[in-house]
Amino acid sequence: MSPEMPRFVLAPAAAVVLLLSTAAAAQQPAAADTGSLLPQVVVTATRLPREVGRVPATVTVVSGAVLRARGVVRLADALAGVPGLTLVGSGSTGAQTSLFMRGANSNAVKVLVDGVAINAPGGAVDLAHLTTDNVDRIEIVRGPASVLYGSDAVAGVVQIFTRDGLRGRRASLAARGGSFGSTDIEGSLAGMDGPVHWSIGGHGRRTDGALAFNNAYRNRGGSGVLGVVGDDADFRLSTRLTDARFHYPTDGSGAVVDSNSARDERRWTVALDAGRRWTPRLETRALVTFGDVEAESTNLPDSPGDTAGFYSSDASRIVRRAADVRANVRVANDAVLTLGGEWSRQRISSEGESRFGSFPPATSRFREHRDNVAAFAQLVGDAGRLSFVLGARIDDNDAFGRFNTARAALSWQVATATRLRAAVGNAFKEPSFEETFSTSYSMGNHALEPERTVSAEVGVEQRFVTGDARVSATVFGQRFRDLIQFVGGDASTNFLGTNQNLAAARAWGVEVEARGRPAATVEVGAALTLLATRVDDAGNGAFGTFVDGERLLRRPARSAHVDATWTPHDRIRFDVVALLTGRRDDHDFVADRRIELDAFERVDFSGSYSLPARILAFDADLTLRVENAFDTRIEPVKGFRAPGRTLLAGIRLYHGG
């Protein structure tokens, strides 16, 4: 056992023991959950509304209300405590942030906003600019999900749901400021009039950044929902817009050297979801989605005399359109058969210019598109104490051909408060445009096949309802093959490289999660993830990132999370969240050698006090949030440090929740 093991095990273990002890002391028959532990209804796992306890999958739901109470505004922070997930940021607020799930690569998780895929074609997704503003909840499904979501859902799916107006009228306005010149403001309105409900929200955030210069960041945007709910039909139109600009002075090693490099991103998503119930046994649904992201990076000379370096500018636009239609047929009282079809189109365009020193500039232009059609079927149901899911899908892409996926899962309620579950399935990740098609810098490979995985898991969940507690554990394993790597060219190819299916790897591990109320005013949660990864076939080594028999990079072998909420008075709330990340391998690209990064802990505190008097007919809370409270040195990526202690204080006005 390594010296660091106790700090990654004792804190979560202590929380689990506390919850179990509380539950065991009750000595009463089981009853229904109460309070924040009421059964939750989720839709991402099966695309049907079902209680979590009846879904044979590993699902975590992050509540938007809890995030607002804790002052969490970045999606990456909201996901950081979910078992099996590792968030890796490359420096200050606004820097590229990658998501690793269950040891898979960072392009192997499908991220959706109200059903709209925001991954770039080929799975890449940067979470740096995604916020929790006006979010109702975030559902995280771990395990392959290509049967329902096609490409990129290799290790799982993260879906963000925007708040609607179904809970009645509400209004809120919040503002805060603090360290590094940070200011945040956000507001929302919602309501329901007869069958029509609506919601609208907006936000603006900025900071000067933690680095010495050229590190400012701003993020502004808005979201909205318009819906109609009838006896036999429903309609929901949602949209979300984000406009962000990040100034970064760092070079590839993390050194602070550049005074004017910056990156802009503008993202827009639109989703139309509609359904009609024709009979008690037949429902049809349609989902039409649109996603548009424009990005521009500039790294120009810092001054007229700056002529010795590498300079570049590039701009790109990715547009994704998709539509699917499905029928939900109740083939038995406790079983629903879903039959569906999907069409999607991806389009990318980019152009850039680069030059080194006084050499003439090189320009590049790239425009391509591809279409995908799919058909899928899924059977979801219950048979006594058993719940089951069986699904299959066929995707046919005009760039890389046909791919078949399948998934089977079972859940068995062995006792009133004990549930076992198991699942097995496969999934795939499509090649990116730059890998399939030729660019100014590489030769496309039309023979590329999708990366693929096979995954299995078994789990158990135990509820101690009288102690208001639950504990779950999941053992998982997955194999990845046909991983795509870049291969350099030679004189015969005019020194243009290409991509090939070369590598293989595996990951396996254990996730343990617990939550409960050891006292009436206290809620505690804990999670522990133990992860092992191995490169089975390094291919050409991918510039040193793949080594036969070694671990995959930036995925810690141990990580843990503990959170606690204390409400000593109906006007006072305190929260503490501790994230613990173990040692993990990385690659020093400057020295071209493999290294191991130190473990670190991050502790965040937040609190609120409700004022006894209203302000302009609004309830009012004074808020305080301290991120990285102990000013820990955090280096998620070699050479790139996360911000130190950050203090934010403000006020929140609200009416109706």
Side-chain angles (χ1 to χ4, degrees):
M1 181 178 295
S2 70
E4 74 176 54
M5 175 64 94
R7 65 185 178 189
F8 289 98
V9 176
L10 291 182
V16 173
V17 170
L18 176 62
L19 299 180
L20 292 176
S21 300
T22 304
Q27 298 292 326
Q28 295 179 11
D33 278 346
T34 59
S36 64
L37 299 182
L38 283 170
Q40 294 172 308
V41 174
V42 297
V43 298
T44 305
T46 60
R47 299 190 71 178
L48 296 168
R50 286 177 69 85
E51 290 183 6
V52 172
R54 298 171 59 207
V55 175
T58 309
V59 181
T60 299
V61 180
V62 178
S63 163
V66 171
L67 296 176
R68 285 184 287 275
R70 293 177 176 171
V72 176
V73 299
R74 294 183 293 268
L75 178 64
D77 291 340
L79 298 177
V82 177
L85 272 61
T86 299
L87 281 299
V88 179
S90 300
S92 297
T93 303
Q96 180 175 330
T97 303
S98 301
L99 169 62
F100 298 90
M101 182 181 287
R102 287 187 169 178
N105 285 335
S106 58
N107 55 6
V109 179
K110 191 109 174 186
V111 181
L112 307 169
V113 176
D114 295 317
V116 184
I118 64 170
N119 302 68
V125 60
D126 180 7
L127 302 185
H129 311 308
L130 296 177
T131 70
T132 62
D133 299 282
N134 206 27
V135 165
D136 177 70
R137 69 191 187 280
I138 306 168
E139 295 183 3
I140 303 99
V141 180
R142 303 190 288 287
S146 285
V147 165
L148 293 178
Y149 298 102
S151 174
D152 310 334
V154 172
V157 176
V158 174
Q159 181 156 207
I160 303 162
F161 291 91
T162 304
R163 283 199 291 178
D164 53 38
L166 290 173
R167 295 180 180 88
R169 294 189 179 275
R170 70 169 189 276
S172 68
L173 178 64
R176 67 182 184 180
S179 304
F180 309 117
S182 300
T183 58
D184 293 351
I185 186 168
E186 63 176 278
S188 66
L189 294 168
M192 187 168 186
D193 299 291
V196 179
H197 65 91
W198 55 274
S199 167
I200 187 171
H203 74 272
R205 312 188 185 283
R206 69 168 305 279
T207 178
D208 293 336
L211 301 179
F213 56 86
N214 191 37
N215 200 211
Y217 173 68
R218 65 129 174 96
N219 185 319
R220 59 196 179 196
S223 59
V225 171
L226 176 64
V228 179
V229 178
D231 293 336
D232 297 317
D234 62 271
F235 164 97
R236 188 179 193 267
L237 176 67
S238 62
T239 185
R240 185 170 287 263
L241 175 67
T242 302
D243 182 1
R245 181 173 177 84
F246 174 55
H247 295 260
Y248 57 98
T250 49
D251 61 12
S253 68
V256 180
V257 296
D258 201 301
S259 65
N260 65 352
S261 54
R263 179 169 177 81
D264 294 88
E265 180 178 293
R266 292 166 293 278
R267 182 183 298 276
W268 183 33
T269 63
V270 181
L272 172 60
D273 188 2
R276 173 68 188 269
R277 289 161 290 282
W278 302 93
T279 72
R281 292 188 176 273
L282 175 63
E283 176 195 42
T284 56
R285 300 205 65 85
L287 175 65
V288 180
T289 64
F290 169 82
D292 186 346
V293 57
E294 297 181 65
E296 183 176 2
S297 296
T298 56
N299 180 17
L300 302 177
D302 292 357
S303 67
D306 183 9
T307 61
F310 176 81
Y311 313 102
S312 65
S313 64
D314 64 79
S316 66
R317 183 182 182 189
I318 298 173
V319 177
R320 300 185 66 147
R321 296 184 176 91
D324 79 51
V325 179
R326 57 197 186 277
N328 298 319
V329 184
R330 188 168 293 278
V331 295
N333 289 336
D334 297 317
V336 175
L337 174 65
T338 299
L339 301 173
E342 178 187 280
W343 167 86
S344 65
R345 166 166 286 190
Q346 306 166 341
R347 188 176 75 244
I348 184 172
S349 61
S350 67
E351 58 182 61
E353 180 178 292
S354 62
R355 66 182 175 88
F356 184 79
S358 59
F359 288 93
T363 60
S364 65
R365 288 179 175 83
F366 179 65
R367 287 177 174 80
E368 291 289 350
H369 74 274
R370 60 190 180 196
D371 293 343
N372 190 88
V373 293
F376 57 91
Q378 176 185 255
L379 181 64
V380 179
D382 302 296
R385 291 177 173 266
L386 286 176
S387 296
F388 58 87
V389 174
L390 300 171
R393 178 185 178 108
I394 300 174
D395 283 87
D396 191 0
N397 192 283
D398 61 12
F400 57 81
R402 182 171 294 180
F403 199 91
N404 302 327
T405 51
R407 182 176 182 272
L410 288 174
S411 174
W412 180 28
Q413 196 77 35
V414 297
T416 303
T418 305
R419 182 168 68 103
L420 302 177
R421 50 184 166 75
V424 62
N426 70 320
F428 73 100
K429 186 199 76 67
E430 63 192 353
S432 70
F433 275 98
E434 295 82 0
E435 293 166 343
T436 303
F437 300 100
S438 295
T439 72
S440 300
Y441 307 106
S442 64
M443 294 189 304
N445 182 356
H446 291 276
L448 275 179
E449 294 188 359
E451 298 180 354
R452 58 193 72 200
T453 185
V454 175
S455 175
E457 66 177 70
V458 294
V460 59
E461 180 175 307
Q462 180 68 46
R463 290 177 175 263
F464 304 90
V465 185
T466 53
D468 209 5
R470 62 174 179 260
V471 178
S472 64
T474 304
V475 179
F476 65 88
Q478 49 190 348
R479 289 179 177 269
F480 314 100
R481 63 187 180 92
D482 295 332
L483 300 179
I484 298 171
Q485 292 183 356
F486 182 77
V487 179
D490 53 28
S492 65
T493 64
N494 200 24
F495 298 99
L496 293 177
T498 190
N499 290 275
Q500 299 178 15
N501 296 103
L502 295 175
R506 72 179 79 178
W508 63 99
V510 180
E511 300 163 354
V512 181
E513 191 173 9
R515 181 159 297 278
R517 290 185 178 275
T521 60
V522 178
E523 182 174 337
V524 179
L528 173 67
T529 302
L530 303 177
L531 175 68
T533 63
R534 176 185 170 89
V535 175
D536 292 330
D537 186 347
N540 69 345
F543 304 103
T545 60
F546 273 60
V547 179
D548 279 325
E550 295 287 351
R551 296 183 295 185
L552 295 169
L553 299 185
R554 298 177 184 171
R555 276 147 273 200
R558 291 180 289 274
S559 57
H561 162 267
V562 179
D563 69 81
T565 300
W566 180 37
T567 53
H569 188 274
D570 58 3
R571 295 187 181 278
I572 300 173
R573 174 181 174 130
F574 294 106
D575 285 272
V576 59
V577 176
L579 300 170
L580 307 100
T581 301
R583 299 177 71 86
R584 60 248 176 256
D585 291 353
D586 204 348
H587 191 83
D588 185 339
F589 290 96
V590 176
D592 192 23
R593 62 187 178 91
R594 197 176 188 88
I595 61 171
E596 187 177 62
L597 296 175
D598 291 335
F600 64 85
E601 304 88 16
R602 170 176 158 170
V603 180
D604 298 338
F605 291 103
S606 58
S608 63
Y609 172 70
S610 298
L611 297 177
R614 288 189 165 193
I615 299 177
L616 299 176
F618 283 83
D619 294 312
D621 290 350
L622 299 179
T623 64
L624 177 68
R625 178 170 172 81
V626 185
E627 299 177 349
N628 192 8
F630 298 120
D631 203 24
T632 304
R633 178 186 174 88
I634 298 175
E635 189 178 19
V637 177
K638 170 62 178 174
F640 293 86
R641 289 187 60 182
R645 183 187 297 112
T646 304
L647 187 149
L648 299 164
I651 187 170
R652 175 174 177 261
L653 306 178
Y654 58 96
H655 177 75

